[in-house]
Amino acid sequence: MPTESASCSTARQAKQKRKSHSLSIRRTNSSEQERTGLPRDMLEGQDSKLPSSVRSTLLELFGQIEREFENLYIENLELRREIDTLNERLAAEGQAIDGAELSKGQLKTKASHSTSQLSQKLKTTYKASTSKIVSSFKTTTSRAACQLVKEYIGHRDGIWDVSVARTQPVVLGTASADHTALLWSIETGKCLVKYAGHVGSEQLALTASGDQTAHIWRYAVQLPTPQPVADTSQISGEDEVECSDKDEPDLDGDVSSDCPTIRVPLTSLKSHQGVVIAADWLVGGKQAVTASWDRTANLYDVETSELVHSLTGHDQELTHCCTHPTQRLVVTSSRDTTFRLWDFRDPSIHSVNVFQGHTDTVTSAVFTVGDNVVSGSDDRTVKVWDLKNMRSPIATIRTDSAINRINVCVGQKIIALPHDNRQVRLFDMSGVRLARLPRSSRQGHRRMVCCSAWSEDHPVCNLFTCGFDRQAIGWNINIPALLQEK
């Protein structure tokens, strides 16, 4: 779980700026505004309780629908003129037929074909133009299946990564652009340990940073007594509400000030020449892998901090790395639109396979049970791959927003997709959409969701998400209910 520095904040701003330019909504030009019955200026001048951004988007969408109907009306007039022309020819031959009673021969075929085209285009246009509006009000999942349970608030900048400890005690870890990593009690939301080393029993944590290093640090925590969880079932999770900066809660209070702070790492992994954007443990915990913007991934010996392998081959910056839960396999993703599988099962040699299939940055690639890898990309798709057949994916999920660091619930084979547009969606491995996590003005993320992590057996929260709104959120996903709805 990487902790980003100022350079990451700059990169984050650049990404946000780039994303803001990817909107596909067409703007209404001046001539089109003049043709509308109610000019845009007049509509904008009316009183409305809707936020200005929502109102502006609705006006643009309705403007598109009006223009499409106008085009269909013009086409209809042209068809009527053609019918009149044909009638004139038939009248000259003594076979005049009224346009409303065309029923024979080639004239019937032409009229039927034209009407069918017009009807189909009308349906397609209406469906495409209104889908963005209707989807905001459509119920997509049961509120009982996905509930917000706990918010973890304490970071002073966007949270880049979230992870759950694989050994006891099970704690939640977050890494932020505020140069700190925090460990939390999942049940109570209390901050347990704060690590600020980047410019019970003991455990080791691995963090990556913009200071071109990865740190391994030791911690010991005592979990507090869990408190009753507040009932959030009364809060609607399907309301789509635009949130401005003023709507954000005050997160300036440092709730981590009363927890112990660690400033010195057990060991520091140094050899990268750029931001270390991700890090992960290899099975067994004796080795660790890091991914960097210097286009390389490094494999280290944890005990000696020595570099074992430098994994080169990507043409652009790396975005993520992930290890297999039971085998010595590593997958790295990059801005070069590919991800690579590195095999270290044979100590004497390591092999590499390149997966191609995305058209934009591959933001992450993760392992599942068996021989599958799931990759997500800024091209708004998620692909499921079979390691035995790299030529094409076995399933493709298409979405409406760029996808950030995905995570797979290994036991149930459910993929969590965090999006740039603040949504988090759940899919199965075959590409079937199961749910969308609730989000409204009172719950859910208010900025881009960066990462997700499953904790399958935890009794309180089994899915965690984090984002640029400086908070991590714990969710209770009723997986049997989702699968039953499917």
Side-chain angles (χ1 to χ4, degrees):
M1 56 185 177
T3 304
E4 295 303 319
S5 65
S7 59
C8 295
S9 299
T10 303
R12 181 190 70 203
Q13 294 171 0
K15 179 175 182 179
Q16 288 178 312
K17 182 177 181 181
R18 174 169 60 83
K19 296 302 174 189
S20 66
H21 293 165
S22 64
L23 294 176
S24 59
I25 299 175
R26 294 176 296 175
R27 300 292 181 182
T28 306
N29 58 37
S30 58
S31 60
E32 291 170 335
Q33 291 181 11
E34 292 173 358
R35 293 198 303 267
T36 60
L38 288 175
R40 183 183 179 91
D41 293 340
M42 183 182 297
L43 289 173
E44 291 179 342
Q46 296 178 357
D47 293 335
S48 174
K49 296 181 180 179
L50 290 174
S52 59
S53 56
V54 175
R55 183 173 174 78
S56 177
T57 301
L58 287 174
L59 289 173
E60 290 172 351
L61 291 175
F62 284 126
Q64 291 183 42
I65 296 173
E66 181 181 7
R67 290 193 295 276
E68 293 295 342
F69 274 100
E70 182 181 7
N71 292 335
L72 292 175
Y73 177 75
I74 294 174
E75 291 180 7
N76 184 48
L77 292 179
E78 293 176 352
L79 288 174
R80 295 299 305 179
R81 282 195 292 268
E82 291 182 11
I83 292 174
D84 291 340
T85 301
L86 289 173
N87 267 334
E88 291 176 0
R89 294 178 181 177
L90 291 173
E93 299 174 1
Q95 302 178 11
I97 300 178
D98 183 73
E101 299 176 353
L102 298 175
S103 59
K104 296 182 180 180
Q106 295 180 351
L107 191 59
K108 175 186 176 183
T109 302
K110 181 178 179 66
S112 176
H113 178 66
S114 300
T115 303
S116 176
Q117 279 186 326
L118 184 65
S119 175
Q120 184 62 35
K121 185 170 183 179
L122 180 61
K123 292 178 181 178
T124 303
T125 301
Y126 180 77
K127 182 177 180 180
S129 300
T130 59
S131 61
K132 296 178 182 178
I133 303 173
V134 175
S135 63
S136 298
F137 304 98
K138 181 172 57 177
T139 300
T140 58
T141 183
S142 170
R143 297 177 188 173
C146 304
Q147 288 190 4
L148 186 152
V149 176
K150 185 68 64 176
E151 294 181 338
Y152 305 87
I153 301 175
H155 282 292
R156 295 178 175 272
D157 205 341
I159 303 176
W160 279 94
D161 204 357
V162 62
S163 182
V164 180
R166 301 176 184 175
T167 59
Q168 294 293 335
V170 178
V171 296
L172 177 69
T174 56
S176 170
D178 63 8
H179 311 288
T180 68
L182 300 180
L183 298 184
W184 308 83
S185 166
I186 293 177
E187 294 84 355
T188 66
K190 179 181 178 180
C191 178
L192 303 173
V193 174
K194 176 179 180 180
Y195 181 70
H198 287 289
V199 179
S201 61
E202 293 186 334
Q203 302 291 329
L204 297 180
L206 174 64
T207 54
S209 172
D211 61 9
Q212 304 183 5
T213 69
H215 286 185
I216 298 173
W217 44 284
R218 194 185 303 275
Y219 68 91
V221 298
Q222 183 176 0
L223 298 180
T225 303
Q227 299 295 323
V229 178
D231 182 13
T232 59
S233 60
Q234 301 302 319
I235 301 177
S236 172
E238 297 299 333
D239 298 333
E240 291 293 323
V241 180
E242 292 291 332
C243 301
S244 65
D245 293 335
K246 296 181 180 179
D247 295 326
E248 285 199 29
D250 184 8
L251 304 182
D252 291 335
D254 189 359
V255 301
S256 63
S257 59
D258 58 346
C259 68
T261 299
I262 302 173
R263 300 187 182 278
V264 180
L266 180 66
T267 184
S268 181
L269 308 179
K270 302 177 180 178
S271 63
H272 283 294
Q273 303 301 313
V275 168
V276 182
I277 195 65
D280 202 0
W281 302 96
L282 261 71
V283 59
K286 295 182 178 180
Q287 292 181 323
V289 63
T290 58
S292 172
W293 286 1
D294 64 9
R295 305 184 183 183
T296 68
N298 288 338
L299 183 66
Y300 295 92
D301 182 277
V302 172
E303 185 176 353
T304 64
S305 303
E306 292 182 356
L307 178 64
V308 179
H309 291 293
S310 183
L311 313 180
T312 61
H314 282 292
D315 295 330
Q316 294 189 41
E317 295 91 336
L318 272 64
T319 57
H320 191 239
C321 65
C322 180
T323 60
H324 195 281
T326 61
Q327 302 184 59
R328 290 177 54 80
L329 298 173
V330 176
V331 63
T332 57
S333 52
S334 169
R335 290 185 59 194
D336 63 10
T337 74
T338 72
F339 67 93
R340 295 177 177 239
L341 174 67
W342 310 83
D343 190 344
F344 297 100
R345 289 175 291 187
D346 186 346
S348 61
I349 187 173
H350 67 271
S351 61
V352 58
N353 294 307
V354 181
F355 289 74
Q356 297 177 328
H358 290 288
T359 59
D360 205 337
T361 297
V362 181
T363 53
S364 64
V366 298
F367 290 100
T368 67
V369 171
D371 297 322
N372 293 126
V373 170
V374 182
S375 61
S377 170
D378 278 348
D379 65 9
R380 304 183 181 186
T381 67
V382 171
K383 297 178 185 288
V384 182
W385 307 79
D386 186 345
L387 297 181
K388 299 177 182 178
N389 179 16
M390 302 179 297
R391 294 183 179 180
S392 60
I394 59 178
T396 298
I397 301 170
R398 304 187 186 280
T399 69
D400 59 354
S401 179
I403 297 155
N404 296 310
R405 292 187 177 179
I406 59 178
N407 200 265
V408 177
C409 178
V410 176
Q412 301 294 336
K413 297 183 178 180
I414 297 178
I415 313 169
L417 276 56
H419 290 280
D420 273 9
N421 65 1
R422 300 171 289 171
Q423 300 287 355
V424 180
R425 295 182 174 95
L426 305 181
F427 287 80
D428 67 10
M429 294 289 289
S430 62
V432 176
R433 175 172 164 175
L434 302 177
R436 182 186 66 193
L437 297 191
R439 188 181 69 81
S440 71
S441 59
R442 292 173 289 176
Q443 66 171 344
H445 289 288
R446 296 168 176 81
R447 292 290 180 268
M448 183 178 80
V449 188
C450 299
C451 185
S452 60
W454 287 93
S455 177
E456 301 179 37
D457 299 326
H458 199 279
V460 177
C461 304
N462 54 2
L463 177 63
F464 301 90
T465 57
C466 67
F468 279 179
D469 55 3
R470 299 180 281 172
Q471 66 175 332
I473 296 178
W475 306 85
N476 182 271
I477 310 299
N478 189 335
I479 295 178
L482 288 183
L483 298 179
Q484 185 177 3
E485 289 181 7
K486 170 187 172 183

